[in-house]
Amino acid sequence: MTNQEGVTILVTGGAGFLGQHIVKELMEQEVFPVKEIRSFDIQPFKWHHGLHPSKNSQKLYHIEGSICDPAALTQACENVDVVIHNCSCVAFGAYPNRKSTRAVNVDGTENVVDACIEQNVECLVYTSSIEVANDLKKPSVNASETSVTVPAINPIFHVYSKSKYDAEKMVLTANNKTLKNGKKLRTCALRPCGIYGEGDHILTTNLGYFLNAGIAFRIGEPSGKSQYAYAGNLAYSYVFAVKSLLRPDEKTDISGEAFFLGDDTPIYSIGELVSHFAKALVAETGTATPPYWLMYTIAFFLTVMCWLVSNLKYWEMPFHTNAVRYMFGEYHYSWEKLQRVLGYKPRYTYKEAFDRTITYYEHFFGLNNKSNQTKKQK
């Protein structure tokens, strides 16, 4: 499909956290020629600090629109060769808004598939999640795409997990569907783990608490392990996925397949990961770890309170009983298939990723001074 002019790629959710990293990596890669990159998002596009690409910025065009608007989405897909469907409603709270989560994650994905068929888009890469495989009743230790049950019987973040699974299944089922011009649609799904990096808005919340207190506390047992990776490395894997879909005659045809994503970031507990970043930003770090029973008890009462008011007013509360079980559990996955089939290697080392992230956090919290440079991980 590729030619000297290059391909046109549409990234839904392109103005968001992972979306901007995907756009940046597409601009800077030299694996295949790119003619144009379109970002499609409900919010304006503004580069996060430290993310502006080193080249090819003239190829980026931003379209403000919603994937819940089929007409706008179909128009945005005109003359597009590849769609990276990255737009999602992330809902980790105790009682998330089921209607909006399904509307964006499932109905919006259906709109994307329909737009691809209508506009003869031959390649579709879907951003799924490792949450489609997480199970409250059993750990996932270096699990592979074939060793886990999808969907999990007991998903941790039930509303979000189910919506992502349904959307992933929809995209993979759409593989080999006939387009308007008679050609076939090729699809794949990528399952990112927890993400850190420029533009992060989840870990920054926890770090903000630590900075205000002047001390970092560890939450969760060290034995509980969660998988995190640098956004730039996860975004770089999309380059290899697009390459494979564009060149289906190669040995590595990934049509209809799903992949867990990852990089060389150590498998930490969530508390250890946050503590590593906090140490680089604050002078003192606590070593005490609140026990599981205490954390669960607090979360239980907060969860009940959230349930009591949920019928009157929407209350986004990320700290709840399932979240505590997740923090004390073990959930990490192998990305060996990504390496073996696609030839993926992380673009950034863990040290580079850590330092780039700390630079962003310093800017975000207004801590840009030389004294912080000595706190960066060596």
Side-chain angles (χ1 to χ4, degrees):
M1 179 188 295
T2 55
N3 52 53
Q4 290 184 349
E5 264 195 322
V7 296
T8 297
I9 303 175
L10 175 74
V11 182
T12 70
F17 175 24
L18 180 59
Q20 286 198 22
H21 282 269
I22 293 173
V23 169
K24 176 179 181 293
E25 296 303 323
L26 289 172
M27 286 182 170
E28 295 185 344
Q29 59 84 26
E30 297 179 351
V31 177
F32 53 84
V34 174
K35 177 182 179 181
E36 180 183 316
I37 297 174
R38 300 177 191 174
S39 165
F40 184 84
D41 204 306
I42 199 169
Q43 61 182 327
F45 192 102
K46 182 180 179 181
W47 286 109
H48 296 303
H49 179 75
L51 265 193
H52 198 284
S54 59
K55 59 181 179 179
N56 296 334
S57 58
Q58 73 278 4
K59 295 183 178 180
L60 175 62
Y61 300 89
H62 180 62
I63 304 169
E64 286 191 38
S66 170
I67 63 169
C68 295
D69 182 348
L73 185 60
T74 300
Q75 183 177 359
C77 287
E78 185 176 5
N79 297 320
V80 167
D81 301 299
V82 180
V83 168
I84 296 177
H85 178 31
N86 183 66
C87 179
S88 180
C89 177
V90 180
F92 290 156
Y95 297 98
N97 189 314
R98 292 174 178 267
K99 185 176 180 179
S100 62
T101 301
R102 297 289 298 183
V104 174
N105 294 355
V106 182
D107 298 341
T109 298
E110 184 176 14
N111 292 337
V112 171
V113 173
D114 290 344
C116 287
I117 294 174
E118 180 68 28
Q119 295 287 19
N120 300 312
V121 178
E122 294 185 34
C123 303
L124 171 59
V125 180
Y126 173 61
T127 299
S128 183
S129 170
I130 62 170
E131 300 303 336
V132 302
N134 282 347
D135 192 326
L136 274 174
K137 288 192 174 181
K138 59 183 179 181
S140 296
V141 181
N142 201 36
S144 69
E145 291 82 356
T146 56
S147 69
V148 292
T149 301
V150 179
I153 299 174
N154 304 283
I156 295 175
F157 305 106
H158 54 290
V159 174
Y160 174 70
S161 303
K162 183 66 166 61
S163 70
K164 294 300 286 184
Y165 167 74
D166 289 346
E168 178 186 290
K169 183 178 180 180
M170 184 188 303
V171 169
L172 297 183
T173 302
N175 183 62
N176 211 36
K177 275 194 172 183
T178 303
L179 306 175
K180 287 288 187 179
N181 62 6
K183 294 184 178 181
K184 300 294 184 179
L185 175 65
R186 294 187 296 279
T187 70
C188 71
L190 304 183
R191 299 170 178 168
C193 54
I195 312 174
Y196 64 90
E198 300 93 333
D200 159 56
H201 56 87
I202 296 179
L203 293 180
T204 48
T205 300
N206 294 322
L207 289 171
Y209 297 147
F210 294 145
L211 288 173
N212 289 332
I215 188 171
F217 296 99
R218 179 177 295 171
I219 300 175
E221 291 287 352
S223 58
K225 302 296 181 183
S226 302
Q227 185 175 358
Y228 275 79
Y230 176 57
N233 284 329
L234 298 188
Y236 191 50
S237 66
Y238 284 73
V239 173
F240 293 85
V242 170
K243 173 191 173 184
S244 181
L245 290 180
L246 286 172
R247 303 170 183 173
D249 294 331
E250 294 184 349
K251 290 183 179 180
T252 56
D253 183 5
I254 63 171
S255 300
E257 295 191 40
F259 295 81
F260 287 124
L261 306 186
D263 66 3
D264 295 325
T265 301
I267 304 296
Y268 292 123
S269 70
I270 179 62
E272 288 175 322
L273 178 70
V274 174
S275 292
H276 279 295
F277 287 125
K279 287 178 182 178
L281 298 172
V282 299
E284 187 178 358
T285 304
T287 57
T289 301
Y292 174 83
W293 67 267
L294 177 61
M295 300 290 290
Y296 191 89
T297 300
I298 296 172
F300 175 78
F301 284 107
L302 289 174
T303 303
V304 172
M305 289 175 58
C306 184
W307 175 75
L308 291 173
V309 303
S310 61
N311 292 327
L312 300 175
K313 182 180 180 180
Y314 176 64
W315 181 18
E316 177 64 32
M317 189 188 68
F319 187 71
H320 50 90
T321 52
N322 280 5
V324 172
R325 295 173 73 175
Y326 178 80
M327 289 188 292
F328 283 81
E330 192 166 6
Y331 304 97
H332 50 93
Y333 300 83
S334 169
W335 43 286
E336 181 274 336
K337 180 182 175 182
L338 186 71
Q339 298 171 289
R340 171 173 49 83
V341 177
L342 296 183
Y344 161 81
K345 293 181 180 179
R347 182 181 178 187
Y348 307 91
T349 66
Y350 173 55
K351 184 181 185 306
E352 290 172 332
F354 186 92
D355 287 350
R356 290 173 66 93
T357 304
I358 289 298
T359 299
Y360 170 77
Y361 287 149
E362 289 174 346
H363 174 81
F364 183 88
F365 292 113
L367 301 175
N368 299 84
N369 57 68
K370 294 182 179 180
S371 63
N372 282 301
Q373 300 303 316
T374 61
K375 300 176 185 176
K376 289 185 179 181
Q377 186 180 34
K378 296 181 180 180

